[in-house]
Amino acid sequence: MATPEYTPFVFLLLLFQSSVWGFPVCQTPQESPTCGYKSCHATKPGMLNVHLVPHTHDDVGWLKTVDQYFYGDRNDIQHAGVQYILDSVVDQLLKNPDRRFIYVETAFFYRWWKQQTDDMQNTVKQLVNEGRLEFVNGGWCMSDEATTHYSAVIDQMTMGLRFLNDTFGHCGRPRVAWHIDPFGHAREHASMFAQMGYDGFFFGRLDYQDRNRRMVAREQEMLWRASESLTPPMADLFTGILPNGYNPPEGFCWDQSCDDPPIRDDPDLEDYNVDDVVTRFLHIAHGQALVYKTNHIIMTMGSDFQYENANLWYKNLDKLIRYVNQMQSNGSEVNVLYSTPSCYLQELHRANLTWPLKGDDFFPYADSAHDFWTGYFTSRPALKRYERISNSYLQTCKQLEVLGGPISRKGPFGAGDSETLKKAMAVAQHHDAVSGTEKQHVANDYARKLANGWAHCQVLVSNTLSSLSGSSAPRVYCEHLNISVCPLTETSKKFSVNVYNPLARPVSWPVRLPVNGTAYRISDAKGKAVDSQVVPVSQATAAVRRGRGYAVNELLFQVQAPPLGYSTYSVSLLQNGPPSPQSSPLPRAPKAVQNKFLRVTFDPETGLLSSLSNLETQQTVKLSQNFYWYNASDGNNSESIQMSGAYIFRPNTSTPFIISKTSLYLHVFQYNSICMRPTKRSRDSFHPWVSQVVRLYTDSRALELEWTVGPVPIGDDLGKEVISRLDSSINSSGVFYTDSNGREMLQRRKDYRPTWNLRQSEPIAGNYYPINSRAYIKDDKDQLTVVTDRSQGGGSIQDGSLEIMLHRRLLYDDVRGVGEPLNEMSDIYPEGLVVRGRHLLSLSPPATAADTHRPLAQEVVLQPLITFTDGELHPSTRLEFSGLQAVLPPAVHLLTVSQWDQDTVLLRLEHQYQASESKEHSQPVTVNLQKLFSTLDVLGVSEMNLSANQWKDEMTRLDWKKPLPKRGGDPSVWEVSLKPMEIRTFLLRVRQR
Ligand SMILES: *[C@@H]1O[C@H](CO)[C@@H](O)[C@H](O)[C@H]1NC(C)=O
Ligand SMILES: *[C@@H]1O[C@H](CO)[C@@H](O)[C@H](O)[C@H]1NC(C)=O
Ligand SMILES: [Zn+2]
């Protein structure tokens, strides 16, 4: 297919295939550095080799904000200053070439690097080239694994790793993934790390029962087969469990923050302790060797924010190595060395053993019988939602940066950028950020950073939309549509609505706008009239917006937007005045609502949901739904004093309290494009702190439950953990399913773990799992799937039942360090945070359920961006635009479209179905890269690893099992084929048309 007109592409290929043609693209020039595996210290084959790994764990925000941590501000909260750590470590590394240090969090390293002189930068490059300073993990942060979405994780890893590659070349590429602190480990993370080219993965936390068993069986190292769809070893990752979390062995902490005795080695002085230190050390080393397979063990010499005065650590480590190794002349068979995780990994690899295979994940994590870290799956639900829509917004922003070209960054609306939001999102992936386990002021800082990123993106988006549409009318953003607040639509008599769709297929999407009129005329981009409906704003909404808007009605209409493009609708007021009489409250809930796909019935007595039918497949299940709260443990309990807190979920009793037995708080709307008015509505009253609107849209295969929870009352001095529970006639036999980081599904079985014999000690909390985008229960006939709009925790405690935790308000700290009860309040909600969100319910036969829930979840993750312009649009305005030449096949998701360099664009294509999940879609698909974009000519293409820090053809990973299968020659370089669950990453060389 490469015709002569594409010569630039041929040139590009030559350049990228540097290894073949000798262009020094990826090799670092000049003297050949000895970083990576080549820089490891020699070990002694016949001895027990102890790898000392000096390290610091620098949280990208937790008790202090990321910037406070960097500078060492607010040391009254926690003594920690990352700039001093890096200053001090570099200084100490220079003093002795044997010393090693690893650095992990690129968010901090980047801040520090920018402030260094050229001299210092060259010195650090030298240390990196010699393997004395080694980057490990290397993402912008060490992401949380339970509450993150894979697309945001890939982005943050890409950003950190790109900085390292740009700055240090191949010696800056980490070989090891390092998640020493996250509170449980997701299979999708392991799969991503494998595809990012990591040779191995180490972590610190796993269930205490699992650890005990693994220690006895010497199974603390394994091969994690992290995908059921991808062909091994594509998602295989060697995984090791660290011996002591990530701390040094007891008695060997020599940081300024520790109190362990230094090595006092002058026999003329008091308290000479070398013999004692050596004896204790040998004892610990021998003990540790008993629970690992090889004659290599690792000791993590460091902890949170340590090495601010690195001299303390290194001076003692130098001595420790010297004195312990001196014993070898007396017959000791222990050899201690400065090492790094990759040097340790290399030795495990050389051992040439067969490692056990692991197929499930490491959730939930319990550190003792009543201490399940399953609360943070839901903690800070508003921040979790803000993070998720920020991801949607960032993807749109990046796409529009590519589609708009240079004018997006400097156009009629000023200077905009996607960089600010990229960084804010990357920081938000940290394991104390979106996880909700940070202090309140730090959570505020994450949100503020995201908001600042939005502002920068808004300028960019305005520039691009103005350039694409040819109209520079000021563009208005309404970020509070979820609570029916938008000053423009509330007041304007004539405005236009631009709907940008970031997906690679057209979407049909219901838009609800706050208005004060009672009738509007709406026309689409072609001038065709669009059906609409005006319904009153619910009392719950009026209450939650707290004077931030005064719309009495909502204007509802269905919009269509083309793939990777926008469509513009114009709206004009026809009739002012009070709410129309037909929308006034009716006394009873409707008995049923239906559209062409679903029928929902309600119990006439209680008004609660009573059944759900799929009209296409003619299946019906009994289904009810209601809200309950668990009484959070205050620690006053005979079994354990553990309290429920930001991390830990521990209900005082396993039976939750019902909030209301009737549907007083349910409002049911049926949106019907034919009759154009709400058919029926329950009485317009609501429970003081929980309410719900049930919506069935004309074009939707899902029933929407919009819940609003809060302020959670605590006047009774009881902490509360609020759930929505579905109870159905589905015979789920103790099994339910949750997604892993929004991608593959995992089976969960009540009171059971696939890899060990569980002794269950917390019947509720011990059966909770992270839900990132969906969960389902099923039997032979029926599958009920719930798509969530953010990460939440949930479980299936009874057969046929599925519960999802929505909100938590707690009165005690759970003693895992954060030091605050999770009791969210703000200026707007001084009596407690109010949270609103949506669950989308669908019912299908199990064999075709994915065909509904995959696209549904995707529309929630990447939702359209709605912007407004006031008044009449100029007639020359381009009302519709698509950045794609054609719709992509339904199995293909356009995961990333992002400007890389001036003429290059990073593209990720994803097959979004699992193998054998869908008859129709779980098939290989092909995409032609040249026929992708409508505004860009694609001149060249080169494939990269998932994190875009390595060319695919240079990607060689340590082989733990069998050789990498060679990819069959593509029929054409432009035709890209994707197998189920595959993500392929490309750098495209492009030219704006
Ligand atoms: C890594 O960085 C070097 C320059 O330091 C560059 O030549 C190379 O192309 C980069 N690799 C990738 C995969 O971006
Ligand atoms: C690894 O072990 C296998 C036997 O399991 C053996 O055939 C092979 O030669 C060994 N490789 C090395 C490098 O020692
Ligand atoms: Zn941490």
Side-chain angles (χ1 to χ4, degrees):
M1 281 271 276
T3 56
E5 54 190 297
Y6 295 116
T7 34
F9 156 69
V10 175
F11 170 72
L12 198 81
L13 258 197
L14 291 181
L15 201 70
F16 286 166
Q17 290 178 350
S18 55
S19 48
V20 179
W21 297 97
F23 286 83
V25 174
C26 292
Q27 281 74 25
T28 307
Q30 307 129 20
E31 39 352 333
S32 77
T34 53
C35 58
Y37 296 121
K38 284 183 293 209
S39 63
C40 298
H41 289 309
T43 57
K44 298 201 170 167
M47 295 194 179
L48 174 62
N49 292 279
V50 184
H51 295 248
L52 301 181
V53 176
H55 81 105
T56 180
H57 177 68
D58 297 347
D59 287 310
V60 180
W62 180 40
L63 309 181
K64 310 204 287 190
T65 69
V66 52
D67 298 331
Q68 289 168 345
Y69 273 134
F70 176 70
Y71 278 114
D73 191 17
R74 295 300 311 270
N75 276 351
D76 55 319
I77 299 176
Q78 178 189 14
H79 189 104
V82 175
Q83 58 166 340
Y84 307 126
I85 295 174
L86 288 163
D87 291 342
S88 181
V89 162
V90 168
D91 202 40
Q92 289 299 317
L93 287 176
L94 293 172
K95 294 209 159 119
N96 174 355
D98 288 345
R99 292 176 177 174
R100 294 288 182 270
F101 196 74
I102 58 167
Y103 202 73
V104 177
E105 297 87 4
T106 303
F108 285 124
F109 189 84
Y110 163 85
R111 283 165 160 79
W112 182 81
W113 181 257
K114 280 195 309 185
Q115 300 186 349
Q116 304 309 307
T117 61
D118 287 354
D119 265 6
M120 180 50 98
Q121 291 189 346
N122 286 330
T123 302
V124 172
K125 278 184 184 161
Q126 176 91 16
L127 289 174
V128 172
N129 284 341
E130 292 171 9
R132 293 153 70 183
L133 175 62
E134 180 179 306
F135 294 100
V136 167
N137 213 60
W140 204 250
C141 70
M142 184 185 293
S143 56
D144 180 55
E145 298 194 45
T147 64
T148 47
H149 190 264
Y150 70 96
S151 65
V153 174
I154 292 172
D155 281 355
Q156 77 89 359
M157 292 302 297
T158 300
M159 190 157 83
L161 293 171
R162 180 174 187 189
F163 170 80
L164 294 178
N165 184 61
D166 285 354
T167 311
F168 299 103
H170 88 276
C171 285
R173 184 171 68 82
R175 304 302 204 270
V176 167
W178 182 257
H179 270 209
I180 56 180
D181 196 22
F183 332 123
H185 303 280
R187 196 176 72 178
E188 190 57 35
H189 260 73
S191 171
M192 289 189 282
F193 287 148
Q195 297 171 69
M196 289 173 180
Y198 289 101
D199 284 325
F201 177 40
F202 292 98
F203 65 71
R205 297 183 189 272
L206 76 164
D207 183 280
Y208 71 106
Q209 293 179 27
D210 193 12
R211 177 191 283 277
N212 290 344
R213 181 197 66 86
R214 288 180 181 279
M215 283 170 68
V216 173
R218 293 199 187 195
E219 288 192 359
Q220 297 204 79
E221 288 127 344
M222 70 209 85
L223 197 64
W224 199 346
R225 182 147 291 171
S227 169
E228 282 161 38
S229 294
L230 297 172
T231 316
M234 213 176 186
D236 288 356
L237 187 66
F238 177 88
T239 301
I241 296 161
L242 295 170
N244 199 22
Y246 52 90
N247 298 305
E250 210 180 320
F252 293 86
C253 184
W254 287 307
D255 194 66
Q256 66 179 14
S257 64
C258 301
D259 302 321
D260 292 339
I263 298 182
R264 286 162 303 195
D265 51 351
D266 184 341
D268 294 339
L269 299 184
E270 287 300 310
D271 303 326
Y272 175 85
N273 68 351
V274 171
D275 298 340
D276 170 60
V277 169
V278 168
T279 310
R280 281 191 291 121
F281 186 82
L282 291 176
H283 180 76
I284 287 171
H286 286 303
Q288 198 177 311
L290 293 177
V291 294
Y292 286 91
K293 270 210 168 96
T294 72
N295 63 342
H296 292 266
I297 57 172
I298 186 173
M299 291 185 184
T300 43
M301 306 309 273
S303 194
D304 291 6
F305 296 97
Q306 293 198 355
Y307 287 79
E308 191 175 309
N309 182 353
N311 181 42
L312 275 66
W313 258 116
Y314 281 114
K315 197 165 193 171
N316 284 288
L317 287 174
D318 284 352
K319 289 181 188 175
L320 180 75
I321 293 169
R322 176 157 22 107
Y323 294 123
V324 172
N325 289 350
Q326 259 173 20
M327 301 295 287
Q328 289 168 12
S329 56
N330 297 345
S332 159
E333 298 207 325
V334 173
N335 183 49
V336 193
L337 60 144
Y338 277 119
S339 189
T340 67
S342 57
C343 292
Y344 172 59
L345 183 74
Q346 172 168 249
E347 297 295 347
L348 298 179
H349 184 250
R350 282 180 180 154
N352 195 22
L353 302 179
T354 305
W355 307 96
L357 214 54
K358 162 92 173 170
D360 59 324
D361 67 352
F362 289 95
F363 286 120
Y365 162 56
D367 52 4
S368 82
H370 300 285
D371 309 27
F372 278 86
W373 298 45
T374 52
Y376 79 99
F377 300 163
T378 296
S379 295
R380 301 196 184 277
L383 181 64
K384 282 183 164 70
R385 174 63 185 157
Y386 194 39
E387 183 277 332
R388 185 64 58 85
I389 45 170
S390 297
N391 181 47
S392 179
Y393 196 46
L394 175 58
Q395 303 311 321
T396 290
C397 182
K398 291 192 297 184
Q399 293 178 0
L400 289 174
E401 185 172 12
V402 171
L403 296 175
I407 202 165
S408 66
R409 290 180 292 277
K410 186 106 194 66
F413 297 99
D417 67 87
S418 60
E419 212 53 35
T420 313
L421 186 53
K422 277 184 197 160
K423 289 202 179 97
M425 272 299 290
V427 162
Q429 305 311 305
H430 168 61
H431 58 270
D432 298 300
V434 62
S435 59
T437 55
E438 65 283 60
K439 281 190 186 288
Q440 185 61 49
H441 80 104
V442 180
N444 296 345
D445 182 64
Y446 290 129
R448 190 193 53 74
K449 282 190 159 60
L450 290 172
N452 186 34
W454 281 58
H456 284 250
C457 268
Q458 280 170 357
V459 178
L460 187 156
V461 167
S462 294
N463 285 336
T464 294
L465 290 181
S466 135
S467 148
L468 294 177
S469 69
S471 158
S472 53
R475 201 157 287 277
V476 174
Y477 296 80
C478 283
E479 289 165 17
H480 296 119
L481 288 176
N482 62 331
I483 52 167
S484 296
V485 175
C486 177
L488 185 139
T489 61
E490 285 165 34
T491 53
S492 177
K493 293 192 166 63
K494 190 160 188 54
F495 58 93
S496 68
V497 183
N498 180 295
V499 184
Y500 177 83
N501 165 27
L503 296 176
R505 57 181 171 83
V507 293
S508 172
W509 183 266
V511 168
R512 255 189 314 128
L513 304 177
V515 293
N516 283 303
T518 48
Y520 288 82
R521 183 178 49 233
I522 299 171
S523 52
D524 69 12
K526 299 190 174 63
K528 227 178 104 230
V530 175
D531 290 336
S532 69
Q533 186 174 356
V534 173
V535 300
V537 160
S538 73
Q539 268 193 42
T541 293
V544 80
R545 70 190 178 196
R546 302 271 158 110
R548 281 173 291 176
Y550 61 97
V552 293
N553 289 331
E554 288 172 351
L555 170 65
L556 221 138
F557 56 102
Q558 196 74 18
V559 296
Q560 330 280 334
L564 211 70
Y566 69 78
S567 196
T568 313
Y569 290 76
S570 28
V571 179
S572 30
L573 176 72
L574 289 179
Q575 191 189 326
N576 249 321
S580 50
Q582 80 266 19
S583 59
S584 65
L586 292 172
R588 296 190 66 82
K591 280 216 281 292
V593 291
Q594 75 176 67
N595 64 12
K596 56 183 184 277
F597 304 116
L598 291 181
R599 176 179 167 82
V600 194
T601 62
F602 301 88
D603 183 306
E605 293 291 302
T606 62
L608 297 171
L609 280 181
S610 58
S611 77
L612 181 64
S613 310
N614 182 330
L615 299 175
E616 289 177 299
T617 54
Q618 310 237 322
Q619 59 190 139
T620 295
V621 293
K622 281 200 205 130
L623 177 68
S624 67
Q625 178 266 344
N626 212 336
F627 297 95
Y628 304 80
W629 59 277
Y630 287 106
N631 176 11
S633 174
D634 58 5
N636 223 336
N637 181 291
S638 58
E639 279 175 318
S640 149
I641 57 161
Q642 181 61 51
M643 286 84 64
S644 228
Y647 304 84
I648 286 167
F649 170 35
R650 181 159 187 247
N652 218 8
T653 139
S654 295
T655 313
F657 299 93
I658 197 160
I659 292 170
S660 167
K661 289 202 171 102
T662 63
S663 74
L664 274 180
Y665 45 88
L666 290 177
H667 307 266
V668 182
F669 288 108
Q670 174 184 354
Y671 295 113
N672 185 321
S673 68
I674 301 160
C675 81
M676 275 317 95
R677 60 179 57 106
T679 36
K680 291 203 170 70
R681 212 157 53 80
S682 74
R683 70 192 82 166
D684 199 12
S685 56
F686 61 98
H687 194 274
W689 60 279
V690 176
S691 65
Q692 178 162 268
V693 177
V694 179
R695 296 192 180 94
L696 184 62
Y697 295 105
T698 312
D699 276 354
S700 180
R701 291 190 148 81
L703 181 70
E704 175 182 306
L705 307 183
E706 187 189 60
W707 48 268
T708 305
V709 178
V712 178
I714 46 171
D716 52 6
D717 283 336
L718 302 177
K720 295 182 183 61
E721 324 218 15
V722 182
I723 61 164
S724 166
R725 195 176 79 201
L726 297 157
D727 291 293
S728 77
S729 55
I730 293 173
N731 180 15
S732 58
S733 314
V735 171
F736 82 119
Y737 298 80
T738 60
D739 64 323
S740 184
N741 297 128
R743 240 162 88 75
E744 287 187 42
M745 302 300 301
L746 283 169
Q747 191 191 68
R748 312 300 192 178
R749 184 175 297 220
K750 196 183 164 201
D751 298 332
Y752 176 83
R753 305 288 185 261
T755 45
W756 85 91
N757 261 334
L758 175 71
R759 267 173 288 115
Q760 183 62 278
S761 40
E762 281 286 327
I764 308 297
N767 282 311
Y768 259 55
Y769 291 88
I771 299 168
N772 302 111
S773 71
R774 82 209 77 168
Y776 57 77
I777 50 174
K778 64 174 184 178
D779 57 23
D780 294 345
K781 292 199 324 291
D782 303 309
Q783 175 169 328
L784 178 71
T785 309
V786 182
V787 168
T788 66
D789 63 353
R790 76 199 70 191
S791 293
Q792 296 174 317
S796 175
I797 309 296
Q798 306 293 337
D799 284 357
S801 163
L802 185 57
E803 64 184 58
I804 297 181
M805 191 178 286
L806 307 176
H807 195 2
R808 327 177 61 218
R809 187 170 194 195
L810 308 170
L811 305 177
Y812 301 95
D813 175 54
D814 53 3
V815 288
R816 292 304 185 282
V818 72
E820 282 179 5
L822 185 69
N823 182 4
E824 294 179 273
M825 289 169 284
S826 71
D827 292 345
I828 293 173
Y829 303 108
E831 77 288 30
L833 182 69
V834 182
V835 188
R836 167 172 287 185
R838 297 185 305 150
H839 285 162
L840 302 179
L841 267 53
S842 61
L843 176 70
S844 316
T848 57
D851 301 349
T852 302
H853 71 70
R854 291 263 171 211
L856 198 61
Q858 197 187 55
E859 284 170 30
V860 175
V861 168
L862 284 183
Q863 59 182 43
L865 174 69
I866 298 173
T867 58
F868 304 90
T869 48
D870 200 7
E872 187 102 41
L873 282 172
H874 192 274
S876 68
T877 307
R878 188 173 175 189
L879 297 179
E880 202 153 37
F881 165 83
S882 172
L884 291 190
Q885 289 186 33
V887 174
L888 290 187
V892 179
H893 175 44
L894 198 52
L895 177 61
T896 307
V897 177
S898 177
Q899 198 71 37
W900 188 257
D901 276 323
Q902 209 177 354
D903 303 318
T904 51
V905 166
L906 188 69
L907 172 79
R908 285 194 187 89
L909 295 172
E910 172 183 4
H911 194 304
Q912 56 174 336
Y913 285 86
Q914 285 174 220
S916 44
E917 181 179 55
S918 161
K919 220 184 195 136
E920 196 184 339
H921 299 307
S922 295
Q923 310 292 339
V925 282
T926 306
V927 177
N928 187 310
L929 298 180
Q930 264 192 318
K931 297 183 182 151
L932 211 51
F933 296 105
S934 65
T935 62
L936 298 173
D937 287 322
V938 178
L939 308 174
V941 57
S942 195
E943 188 161 5
M944 302 171 107
N945 69 358
L946 180 61
S947 45
N949 64 331
Q950 229 185 340
W951 306 111
K952 184 79 177 214
D953 56 9
E954 291 176 358
M955 190 178 167
T956 48
R957 298 174 62 217
L958 289 184
D959 170 17
W960 299 88
K961 272 277 167 184
K962 51 177 148 19
L964 277 165
K966 291 274 172 288
R967 195 174 268 282
D970 283 344
S972 141
V973 281
W974 300 114
E975 299 280 336
V976 170
S977 90
L978 295 158
K979 296 202 210 67
M981 277 289 131
E982 203 175 349
I983 300 177
R984 292 181 67 182
T985 304
F986 302 95
L987 196 61
L988 304 181
R989 190 168 178 81
V990 300
R991 185 176 55 207
Q992 298 273 346
R993 280 197 184 149

